[in-house]
Amino acid sequence: MAADAARLAAVLALDAGSARLEVQYLLQHVLHKPRAWLLAYPEHTPDAAQLMDYQGLLQRRLQGEPMAYLLGVREFFGLNFRVTPATLIPRPETELLVEHALQRIPPQQPCRVLDLGTGSGAIALSIANARPAAEVVAVDASLAAIAVARENAQRLGLSNAVFLRSDWFGSLGEQRFDLIVSNPPYVAAGDPHLQQGDLPFEPLSALASGADGLDDIRRIISQAAAHLRPCGWLLLEHGYDQAGRVRELLLQAGFGEVYSACDLSGIERVSGACAA
Ligand code: GLN
């Protein structure tokens, strides 16, 4: 297994520690054992079928397939989400968006929350879990993503979130919300990052958004006010260099209390504003 980790590290340019962890996760997955078991019985030899499964996963990982798709799960905001290639893989920095959303939802008070482009449902279900009195509506243009999000709601036992297919606000009619959140696609179409790491395996429609990456953010901001209650909030995740332009778009659309917040790397990652 040490040789496998070394190969992974070399092929994917991972540090030794990450490569070792990845090998352990793949083993855990084929053995259906928790991590502690694996560490307690290092001498355990997998049977032939398990070894074949492991080798298959290792080969796919060596081709660059994301760990989250190989394992079929990713942890986000303390919950385990099923993810498939139909959904973006939840990112740690997106937890900032959830934190800011929760700051605006009083714990026991009923309120309506909309999540645009929900993917696996990570944002919507994290909010629904932390705020049982909230009613969360989550939309995605992809039916395959909606199916994954619904499965996650069921697995997590959350019944205060509903999922429907909609191209942004397209299928929402006149519905209004107290809070709208979104982690929309925001990478510029020609950005070389799209060819790196996990990104080539993720749905491009969940990542790229026109020449400057802001096409979908512009659409959301221009239509959001019509779906917010008075003093409702719009919170958006965006790219590392887009905060200034997103604040400008919010101001132009007539929003107040426009602000941005930094993620743990000190990058302005979320911007928000209040409807008039
Ligand atoms: N944060 C992601 C990345 O850097 C992009 C996700 C998105 O476009 N919403 O790859």
Side-chain angles (χ1 to χ4, degrees), residues 28-45:
Q28 253 175 268
H29 184 71
V30 301
L31 294 174
H32 303 290
K33 294 284 188 203
R35 193 173 158 66
W37 188 94
L38 202 71
L39 299 176
Y41 301 100
E43 72 285 357
H44 174 82
T45 318

Side-chain angles (χ1 to χ4, degrees), residues 18-241:
S18 308
R20 201 164 43 237
L21 259 181
E22 290 196 355
V23 165
Q24 285 174 353
Y25 281 132
L26 294 179
L27 261 181
Q28 253 175 268
H29 184 71
V30 301
L31 294 174
H32 303 290
K33 294 284 188 203
R35 193 173 158 66
W37 188 94
L38 202 71
L39 299 176
Y41 301 100
E43 72 285 357
H44 174 82
T45 318
D47 66 32
Q50 289 167 335
L51 261 183
M52 240 173 62
D53 288 349
Y54 167 77
Q55 285 300 340
L57 289 175
L58 182 68
Q59 288 311 318
R60 288 168 62 190
R61 183 63 188 131
L62 286 164
Q63 304 295 318
E65 270 191 64
M67 283 298 288
Y69 292 156
L70 296 177
L71 303 177
V73 289
R74 175 54 48 98
E75 197 241 67
F76 178 83
F77 216 76
L79 301 172
N80 278 321
F81 288 91
R82 176 157 166 68
V83 293
T84 77
T87 66
L88 193 79
I89 300 164
R91 311 282 205 268
E93 60 266 27
T94 303
E95 294 184 350
L96 179 71
L97 183 64
V98 175
E99 282 163 12
H100 279 252
L102 295 181
Q103 285 168 17
R104 283 163 184 79
I105 309 173
Q108 314 300 346
Q109 197 175 304
C111 81
R112 298 195 78 222
V113 180
L114 172 64
D115 175 24
L116 294 167
T118 196
S120 63
I123 296 168
L125 292 168
S126 296
I127 294 173
N129 180 55
R131 294 289 184 270
E135 178 198 344
V136 182
V137 176
V139 304
D140 204 287
S142 155
L143 264 182
I146 290 291
V148 175
R150 282 190 182 134
E151 185 187 332
N152 278 319
Q154 203 164 27
R155 286 159 64 115
L156 294 165
L158 295 168
S159 53
N160 57 330
V162 294
F163 297 90
L164 65 127
R165 200 197 155 273
S166 177
D167 188 9
W168 301 131
F169 297 98
S171 307
L172 290 170
E174 308 280 291
Q175 290 190 57
R176 286 186 184 260
F177 301 87
D178 300 289
L179 173 65
I180 299 175
V181 294
S182 183
N183 172 20
Y186 55 67
V187 181
D191 191 316
H193 287 108
L194 292 170
Q195 315 304 329
Q196 295 167 15
D198 289 350
L199 277 68
F201 293 86
E202 295 183 285
L204 190 61
S205 61
L207 288 166
S209 186
D212 63 356
L214 290 167
D215 280 5
D216 289 288
I217 286 183
R218 274 189 286 269
R219 274 185 67 189
I220 291 170
I221 290 178
S222 70
Q223 296 169 24
H227 294 276
L228 279 168
R229 289 177 174 158
C231 301
W233 280 85
L234 171 63
L235 298 175
L236 297 169
E237 179 174 321
H238 49 66
Y240 69 98
D241 58 353

